Amino acid sequence: MTALLDIRGLTIDIARDGGPARVVDGIDLAIQQGESVGIVGESGCGKSLTMLSLVGLLPNRIRATGGSAMFGGRDLLKLGPKELRKVRGSEIGFIFQDPMTSLNPVIRVGDQIAEALIWQKGLAKEAAQARAVELLELVGIPGPAERARAWPHELSGGMRQRVMIAMGLAGHPRLLIADEPTTALDVTIQAQIVDLVRELKDKMQMAVVWITHDLALIAGLADRIAVLYAGTVVEDAPVSAIFERPTHPYTRGLLASLPTLAGAAMERLPSIGGTPPEPGRRPPGCPFAPRCAHAVAACAEAVPRLAPVPGSDPRHRVACPVMTERAAA
Ligand SMILES: Nc1ncnc2c1ncn2[C@@H]1O[C@H](COP(=O)(O)OP(=O)(O)OP(=O)(O)O)[C@@H](O)[C@H]1O
Ligand SMILES: [Mg+2]
């Protein structure tokens, strides 16, 4: 089966006075139709830049410099701004972390959604406004016809996030990318938003990529989890395999820091010491080696590639020869 999105060998560099600094270093990631994939990894590992690169929204001085991202038979990295604008919204929907920075404070929420529809789908004004109310209803906003006339500041954080989701869905995308859409919300509301997206994913038959720091939150939504470290995928597996057989020392460290996993059948590591490499200061070899309790001399030599984990789910892959060998033994 052809993947809906197939990212191979993606590299992203930041232009700096002293020369380019690499922040994303050869990401391989495929998303199947209708699949939901959680992307986890600590702050600065390149989660947002990876996703922004797909739709041409990288900040100034930051560029995708290598690799490919096939989507619907085209390489997204090779499309021009005009084509990307079409992809954005109508084929790939985005939801960002902070609704207050993404919603225009001086436009009523219904009008913001309607504008997106007019622009993306070429709907007439009345049709777009009616569709906006339907979308507000779809995302569980009570009294959608009245709420459509509200200003963003009149809504609660959770309701604003629902408006953002409605905007992300407006073009009926095949892929919805959510970049930490719930971190600003309290825990109960976070769970409601996760439930909502899971429900919408089935209803609209779209794939979802959900970026988060929170492994526990994503476990209820994702089919698969990709763990990023310093701009590379270090482990990629179905959720059950990630929780039952975490294999990369970094993944194990992330899981060990989850309080709910006490007593799980896994080697418990003390929380990971040290910090990830700064952009442009990547060590040769495995980027995690300097922080890794299991590193051997060879880890500092070659960058490990993703390889299947012996004895686990066939989709379970890890970029750590030390642990792969151990799993095979
Ligand atoms: N506009 C920018 N200018 C310079 N450097 C940037 C910019 N945006 C991101 N970076 C750097 O690129 C790296 C990756 O950033 P990115 O935003 O993709 O991380 P992230 O994994 O999304 O982190 P977070 O979890 O904090 O959102 C970081 O080291 C960051 O400092
Ligand atoms: Mg981010």
Side-chain angles (χ1 to χ4, degrees):
M1 191 169 72
T2 320
L4 174 65
L5 171 68
D6 196 356
I7 304 173
R8 298 228 180 136
L10 174 69
T11 58
I12 297 177
D13 293 323
I14 303 181
R16 292 205 173 145
D17 294 342
R22 180 139 299 179
V23 278
V24 166
D25 192 25
I27 282 196
D28 291 322
L29 183 70
I31 314 289
Q32 307 300 328
Q33 318 264 3
E35 191 181 29
S36 57
V37 176
I39 310 279
V40 300
E42 69 205 291
S43 193
C45 71
K47 303 181 295 293
S48 298
L49 293 184
T50 297
M51 295 306 148
L52 292 172
S53 74
L54 302 176
V55 287
L57 290 179
L58 285 173
N60 276 341
R61 299 168 67 84
I62 303 187
R63 281 224 161 74
T65 45
S68 59
M70 298 305 294
F71 181 84
R74 300 150 300 174
D75 183 353
L76 295 175
L77 303 183
K78 295 204 164 67
L79 297 185
K82 219 171 151 186
E83 295 159 301
L84 283 171
R85 217 173 299 141
K86 273 194 96 170
V87 169
R88 231 158 35 222
S90 61
E91 294 181 76
I92 301 181
F94 252 96
I95 313 172
F96 296 98
Q97 181 170 346
D98 179 6
M100 271 330 250
T101 59
S102 321
L103 288 177
N104 188 330
V106 297
I107 301 180
R108 297 177 195 270
V109 296
D111 289 344
Q112 299 200 37
I113 300 171
E115 269 178 26
L117 285 162
I118 292 167
W119 190 67
Q120 281 164 16
K121 293 270 158 182
L123 292 190
K125 195 170 172 206
E126 270 90 82
Q129 279 171 335
R131 180 70 187 138
V133 172
E134 284 171 20
L135 283 161
L136 291 173
E137 186 166 25
L138 182 71
V139 298
I141 292 187
E146 295 77 62
R147 293 296 176 90
R149 289 192 294 272
W151 305 102
H153 74 263
E154 294 175 318
L155 301 178
S156 68
M159 285 297 150
R160 281 200 291 264
Q161 197 49 276
R162 284 172 192 261
V163 171
M164 290 302 298
I165 294 171
M167 288 184 71
L169 297 176
H172 207 136
R174 284 184 290 159
L175 173 64
L176 182 71
I177 298 176
D179 191 351
E180 308 205 56
T182 63
T183 33
L185 305 173
D186 75 52
V187 182
T188 347
I189 311 286
Q190 285 190 17
Q192 286 172 11
I193 298 284
V194 169
D195 284 345
L196 170 68
V197 171
R198 187 177 38 221
E199 202 182 288
L200 292 169
K201 166 184 128 51
D202 294 337
K203 209 180 268 181
M204 300 184 67
Q205 299 185 330
M206 58 184 180
V208 174
V209 170
W210 187 287
I211 299 175
T212 181
H213 287 100
D214 189 342
L215 255 172
L217 179 77
I218 200 59
L221 173 72
D223 305 313
R224 234 175 74 217
I225 289 182
V227 181
L228 258 63
Y229 183 78
T232 60
V233 176
V234 295
E235 189 156 6
D236 183 342
V239 173
S240 56
I242 287 281
F243 282 92
E244 285 154 28
R245 297 199 53 168
T247 302
H248 198 282
Y250 178 64
T251 312
R252 294 185 185 196
L254 283 182
L255 283 164
S257 61
L258 284 184
T260 47
L261 273 156
M266 54 175 277
E267 182 186 357
R268 300 223 6 130
L269 293 179
S271 66
I272 314 164
T275 51
E278 294 282 316
R281 292 170 176 257
R282 321 176 61 80
C286 173
F288 188 63
R291 297 170 77 182
C292 182
H294 304 276
V296 297
C299 299
E301 282 156 24
V303 178
R305 318 239 13 132
L306 284 172
V309 177
S312 187
D313 187 290
R315 290 166 298 168
H316 188 174
R317 295 180 307 145
V318 69
C320 177
V322 172
M323 288 299 162
T324 322
E325 240 169 70
R326 225 182 259 189

